[in-house]
Amino acid sequence: MRTAPTILHLDMDAFFASAEQASKPSLRGKAVVVGGLGPRGVVATASYEARVFGVNSAMPMAQARRLVPNAAYLVPRFGFYRSISEQVMALLRGLSPLVEPLSLDEAFVDLEAGGAARDAGSARSAGVKLRADIRAVTGLTGSVGLAASKMLAKIASEQAKPDGLVLIEPGTERALLGPMSVRTLPGVGPATGDHLRRAGITTVDEIAGAGEDELVRLLGRAHGHALYAMALARDDRPVVAEREAKSVSVEDTYDVDIHDRLRVGFEVARLADRCVGRLRGAGLSGRTIVLKVRRYDFSTLTRSETLRGPTDDPAVVREAAARLLDSVDTTGGVRLLGVGVTGLADYTQEDLFAQAAGEQAGAVEQEAAADESVPQPTEPVERHWPAGHDVRHAEHGPGWVQGSGLGRVTVRFETPDSAPGRVRTFRIDDPDLEPADPLPLVRRRPVEAENPGAVRGAEEEAAEGEPPVEEPSSAAEHAAG
């Protein structure tokens, strides 16, 4: 086990909400909540201004609205967040070849493997520089933890929040961990925490004092051994550069239970196509198709079918998902649907159409029939303007949707490097108003493009402004992270 604090854990601060505040000057310093806006939506991320009132990730959106009724409630822009994440991950890979991303906004880095640090002093210098580079390139802040193990580095970054750096000096680990809650340790969730509490164990010191044999008796051999080692600050888990994906899946939660069987079938087909899009985007294929159905009574069913070989063909995945749906009773109503693919590979089998009908020619005919059988959605009467998403007006330029409804859409016209902008309202079908791509948070001059450290992110002062009006939503995207 290493002794130098050369494992770095980076956690971007309130990532989704901070990205929204950075791109919208009128929301800086204000409570911002990002997530699904429908009745069953959940909070993906809340700004620190909203967290003061008790709003946190995974909270039902209805509860968040009760806590902070005047916050800005925005629909996630995952493509935008992913582009910022790629910039951050590139900076991390500049430090070391061993970077282990955990999500869009969080990663471990082995600084020693990249020669970026060998002791406490050089590790701290690397962390300070990384935070400065992240701010210069993205305009956002991240918190850094440095320690001799992954467990301790993550604990340190949590202590560093927001916008800080904490290094755990060698030799101080046991004293730091001792008074902490058992929930601090990896692998101790609510159920394990309650089990330990009933045994009179609530702190890390009490785990160490209970002894390994007692923990094995309480939790089983594997879990008991691992937890005792971590309570003694022993964590030999390496930073793993490539985390192999085990599955690719998509799901939707619906504001109103779906009872129409044809509508359910259409949603499953649509989810299958989205799943294949992600599969192909990752350069993968898979053998096992999985259908997830959560019914009106919250009972959740999963069904799976394993093909003879891996595929990334949308027709094959749609047909398999439809067959799985045939075995599920949805008459009481459906509140969530999901389609996934497991058994991933980096190649496809050319004759997979034969799996459905036995012959490739027959399968091609089935594909055409399947395409015809999927009900096509009717054209929406009104254009859809998600709250928080980017738009451009032919006369007024770039802005973002503050809210929409009753045939109107309200737009605030501002950019990441402007002052807080004016609000204007248009007809929902105004031909001069179009969806737009997000603007970069930091404008980089050509000379500065080769030196990210020289770039200064725009830091506009927050100005008074009205929070976005809620946009009526028929389906809330499942928010992760």
Side-chain angles (χ1 to χ4, degrees):
M1 180 173 174
R2 74 179 72 202
T3 57
T6 54
I7 299 295
L8 180 149
H9 181 259
L10 170 72
D11 196 351
M12 299 294 289
D13 299 322
F15 182 46
F16 295 174
S18 294
E20 296 296 348
Q21 288 176 317
S23 67
K24 300 172 172 64
S26 59
L27 297 186
R28 293 172 193 168
K30 307 294 178 61
V32 174
V33 181
V34 180
L37 300 191
R40 293 175 181 167
V42 297
V43 175
T45 309
S47 69
Y48 287 102
E49 295 86 354
R51 295 182 190 189
V52 170
F53 296 93
V55 180
N56 51 57
S57 299
M59 173 182 287
M61 190 62 77
Q63 182 180 353
R65 289 186 185 279
R66 288 193 295 270
L67 292 172
V68 198
N70 294 323
Y73 289 89
L74 307 177
V75 177
R77 297 185 292 165
F78 289 113
F80 177 51
Y81 310 144
R82 192 172 294 111
S83 67
I84 300 172
S85 174
E86 289 170 355
Q87 292 177 302
V88 172
M89 296 302 167
L91 291 173
L92 297 183
R93 294 187 179 96
L95 292 173
S96 171
L98 292 184
V99 176
E100 182 177 340
L102 304 179
S103 61
L104 289 177
D105 61 339
E106 186 179 0
F108 286 110
V109 184
D110 188 330
L111 296 175
E112 189 174 21
R118 61 190 177 279
D119 54 24
S122 56
R124 183 182 294 276
S125 296
V128 169
K129 182 178 185 302
L130 172 65
R131 292 180 59 241
D133 287 346
I134 289 173
R135 183 185 288 273
V137 171
T138 69
L140 304 180
T141 64
S143 295
V144 166
L146 293 157
S149 69
K150 291 169 70 173
M151 174 187 72
L152 291 166
K154 186 171 175 62
I155 290 172
S157 71
E158 189 65 30
Q159 291 185 329
K161 283 188 167 295
D163 191 20
L165 182 152
V166 169
L167 183 147
I168 298 178
E169 295 283 355
T172 67
E173 296 92 347
R174 290 286 303 277
L176 174 74
L177 282 176
M180 291 184 174
S181 165
V182 296
R183 291 290 304 275
T184 303
L185 300 181
V188 181
T192 301
D194 286 345
H195 193 51
L196 291 171
R197 180 181 52 79
R198 288 193 294 270
I201 299 172
T202 59
T203 68
V204 176
D205 260 346
E206 289 170 344
I207 289 179
E212 190 169 12
D213 291 342
E214 176 65 8
L215 289 171
V216 168
R217 186 187 70 80
L218 287 171
L219 304 174
R221 181 170 298 276
H223 202 180
H225 283 314
L227 201 59
Y228 182 71
M230 288 184 176
L232 299 180
R234 299 172 187 165
D235 177 19
D236 294 327
R237 294 174 300 162
V239 175
V240 181
E242 295 297 331
R243 294 170 60 87
E244 183 177 353
K246 295 182 179 179
S247 65
V248 173
S249 63
V250 296
E251 61 183 47
D252 273 344
T253 300
Y254 302 96
D255 295 344
V256 179
D257 292 347
I258 302 175
H259 294 83
D260 188 327
R261 184 72 177 188
L262 286 177
R263 168 78 189 282
V264 173
F266 166 71
E267 292 294 332
V268 167
R270 184 179 61 83
L271 289 165
D273 287 343
R274 280 175 52 197
C275 183
V276 169
R278 291 191 180 183
L279 200 67
R280 289 181 168 180
L284 297 170
S285 59
R287 292 189 62 199
T288 301
I289 314 303
V290 180
L291 175 71
K292 177 179 177 181
V293 179
R294 181 167 297 150
R295 298 188 292 191
Y296 69 99
D297 58 357
F298 286 89
S299 61
T300 302
L301 306 177
T302 58
R303 300 287 185 268
S304 65
E305 175 182 321
T306 298
L307 308 175
R308 295 192 308 183
T311 185
D312 66 349
D313 189 284
V316 173
V317 176
R318 278 200 306 267
E319 291 168 7
R323 288 193 295 273
L324 295 171
L325 180 60
D326 288 340
S327 66
V328 178
D329 180 10
T330 63
T331 53
V334 170
R335 61 188 296 118
L336 177 148
L337 291 168
V339 174
V341 178
T342 66
L344 302 182
D346 57 1
Y347 66 94
T348 58
Q349 188 168 306
E350 292 300 325
D351 63 345
L352 283 176
F353 282 128
Q355 294 172 136
E359 296 293 334
Q360 188 168 0
V364 171
E365 294 175 1
Q366 283 195 353
E367 177 189 1
D371 286 343
E372 293 175 359
S373 65
V374 174
Q376 298 300 312
T378 58
E379 289 296 321
V381 176
E382 295 184 339
R383 299 170 72 184
H384 187 56
W385 301 104
H389 282 222
D390 299 272
V391 295
R392 176 175 290 275
H393 191 272
E395 178 183 353
H396 303 291
W400 56 278
V401 176
Q402 228 182 227
S404 65
L406 302 177
R408 300 285 179 177
V409 54
T410 300
V411 177
R412 186 180 286 275
F413 290 99
E414 60 186 6
T415 66
D417 54 358
S418 75
R422 290 187 173 184
V423 174
R424 296 181 181 275
T425 299
F426 306 92
R427 296 195 322 274
I428 210 161
D429 59 352
D430 191 315
D432 290 335
L433 189 66
E434 295 291 341
D437 293 329
L439 295 173
L441 296 182
V442 175
R443 291 189 179 276
R444 301 171 65 186
R445 295 189 295 271
V447 173
E448 295 173 331
E450 297 179 2
N451 181 13
V455 185
R456 181 174 62 86
E459 296 289 333
E460 300 286 346
E461 290 294 325
E464 291 297 324
E466 299 174 355
V469 178
E470 175 185 351
E471 177 200 9
S473 173
S474 59
E477 282 290 325
H478 177 71

